[in-house]
Structures are given as C-alpha cells and as structure tokens.
Amino acid sequence: MSPTNKYTPNNGRNFGEIIAEIDDIENLSCLDMFAREGDWQGINIYERCLSYEAWEIDKEYIPALKKNLPSATVHCRDSVEFTNNLAPVYKKFYPKFDIIQIDAPLNSFGSVGQYSEHFDVMANVPALAKDIWYAIFNVVKQPYDYRGNTKWQMRRMEFYNLADDGSKLNMAYVEEFYKSYFSQLGYDTEKYKAVVRETKNSVDYFYSVVMKLKRRPTGIKGDVTPIEVTEGLYGYTASPEIADLN
C-alpha cells in the first residue's frame, strides 16, 4: 500500500479501552445495530456480555454473522428505518438493552444515499435502551475523500451545528456536543471516553466513543449547558413516545 494512502486500524487495541469503561459487562445485554459479519468491533463485546442481538440489512452478511456470533439473536433489517418507525405500542414491548453499538457506515449510505453516519437514527436509539445504558458510536473527526461531497458536508454541518464545512472536528467540542445532545433527550452523562479507532497517513481521523447515560426523572432538567442541536432537513427528531418508555 502506498504511503499516500496508508491506513492504520487501531480497533483491536483501542477498543479494549472502550470495553473497560463498561461496568459489569458480563451481566449486560447488547444490541449491535450495524453488525455486518460480526467480526469487527461486535465480536469483542459478544465474547464478554450476557446476551447479544445483531441487526444487519445486507442478507449476504447474515450467514457469516450467525457463524461468527452463534448464540446471538440476528435480524436482517434496515436499522434506521426500523428504529425510527416502530409503532409506540411495539416500542414499549421490544427488549431494552444495556449496551447499544451504533457502528454505522461513514459518508452517505442507504438505498438512495439518504442516511449519513449515525445522524438519522441517534435521536431514537434511546427507545431501545434501559434507564442506564452505554452508547457506543463512531465520530469522524477528519473525513477523507470529503472535498466535493457537498451532501455529506451539509449533513455534518447540520448535525453538529457548525459554521464551517465539518472537515476537522474539535474533539473537545464533540464531547460537549454529545453530552448536550443526550441531555436534551433526557439523559445525564456518567462516563464519556473517546479513543482513536483508525488513522490515515498518521492523522487520527476516526474515533470510537462510549458514553454511560442515565435517564433523568420526568421534569428534571440536566446540568449541561445546551448546544443548539439540529438534525437538519434530512434528519430525524426524537419520537415523542421516548419519554413514555420503560
């Protein structure tokens, strides 16, 4: 591989730091919303947790997913569509999870490129979570192949409420952003950790984040200063039923 296009995955070593933040993992349940074949980040949690559910939209990955995670509950489904359009009654009875991993694809994806990163689903993920839970997701600090990709730029600017094109995120801002984001959904942050997941040409462009979140009682305001959060023209807002779950 040429020096001008050199990737260094740190997933195995650094993801251990993410797992170390999860208390009592051997007694917890996990949902992997973008599982693929289950042999990347997912298997690191699967081997440690009590139970595991995996979703994957591409049916070609399902046989390998079931082979790699033999005791997992596996569903072939569009995770974004399923989560955002669950009927309120069904939401109340669907299992709630201690850990939710949102390892969404980078850039734009979906049948017509209608989704970007985790932006279109994150607001409704708490509908699948217990009152205290861990969110594990990716942050693209410095996207590659970004110039000219105006749709992706627009999505990042809208989601992160940026005045610039989102080509290089400040990780301190990212931390405050997500604490504020989940606070506005009704959750206090008990833990936050970000680790480098992958580098390209020695640039730490891609991070894994884990947050331990605790749902506040109804009517109690959080102590995080709100950041104006919008998911823009293409995004989703949290379903009103979330406050009535659990």
Side-chain angles (χ1 to χ4, degrees):
M1 187 174 291
S2 69
T4 58
N5 192 29
K6 186 176 181 181
Y7 293 86
T8 305
N10 294 314
N11 192 59
R13 181 181 72 249
N14 290 6
F15 198 67
E17 297 181 36
I18 295 292
I19 292 174
E21 296 296 314
I22 302 174
D23 303 316
D24 198 28
I25 190 172
E26 64 273 11
N27 292 313
L28 303 184
S29 59
C30 179
L31 169 63
D32 187 345
M33 297 183 67
F34 299 88
R36 289 179 66 89
E37 295 182 339
D39 58 350
W40 194 229
Q41 289 192 155
I43 197 166
N44 292 290
I45 300 177
Y46 169 82
E47 292 174 341
R48 293 168 171 82
C49 69
L50 180 64
S51 63
Y52 201 90
E53 182 164 318
W55 300 354
E56 172 52 47
I57 190 172
D58 192 335
K59 63 183 179 182
E60 294 184 1
Y61 291 136
I62 298 300
L65 178 58
K66 290 182 175 180
K67 180 180 179 180
N68 290 328
L69 312 179
S71 65
T73 300
V74 174
H75 295 288
C76 185
R77 62 176 47 140
D78 182 329
S79 302
V80 179
E81 182 74 16
F82 183 84
T83 303
N84 290 337
N85 293 287
L86 272 175
V89 173
Y90 192 34
K91 284 182 181 180
K92 289 180 181 292
F93 293 99
Y94 201 87
K96 303 299 184 293
F97 298 91
D98 300 292
I99 307 164
I100 301 182
Q101 180 170 233
I102 311 107
D103 191 8
L106 308 188
N107 204 325
S108 298
F109 64 100
S111 57
V112 292
Q114 68 270 37
Y115 307 138
S116 287
E117 302 184 43
H118 54 256
F119 304 158
D120 302 282
V121 73
M122 188 67 93
N124 284 318
V125 169
L128 299 163
K130 294 184 179 180
D131 285 347
I132 299 176
W133 63 292
Y134 295 86
I136 301 175
F137 55 93
N138 303 321
V139 170
V140 186
K141 174 187 174 183
Q142 192 167 337
Y144 60 89
D145 297 335
Y146 197 58
R147 293 183 182 276
N149 194 333
T150 55
K151 184 175 182 179
W152 192 14
Q153 291 176 19
M154 184 187 306
R155 296 305 315 280
R156 285 172 63 83
M157 290 172 68
E158 290 174 339
F159 184 80
Y160 288 116
N161 191 36
L162 300 172
D164 60 27
D165 66 357
S167 60
K168 188 174 183 180
L169 296 178
N170 180 302
M171 291 306 291
Y173 173 81
V174 166
E175 178 175 352
E176 293 309 309
F177 175 88
Y178 281 105
K179 287 179 178 179
S180 175
Y181 184 92
F182 282 106
S183 180
Q184 292 179 66
L185 292 178
Y187 292 85
D188 292 328
T189 298
E190 297 198 337
K191 289 185 180 183
Y192 178 98
K193 188 175 183 68
V195 300
V196 177
R197 176 170 173 173
E198 190 170 298
T199 62
K200 180 184 179 184
N201 301 332
S202 301
V203 175
D204 55 335
Y205 82 97
F206 191 27
Y207 280 72
S208 292
V209 173
V210 60
M211 298 182 71
K212 183 178 182 180
L213 300 161
K214 183 176 181 180
R215 182 175 174 164
R216 292 192 302 272
T218 302
I220 303 299
K221 294 183 178 181
D223 57 3
V224 175
T225 302
I227 294 175
E228 184 65 28
V229 176
T230 176
E231 290 181 86
L233 299 174
Y234 304 99
Y236 292 84
T237 55
S239 298
E241 299 87 6
I242 286 180
D244 298 321
L245 296 175
N246 300 324

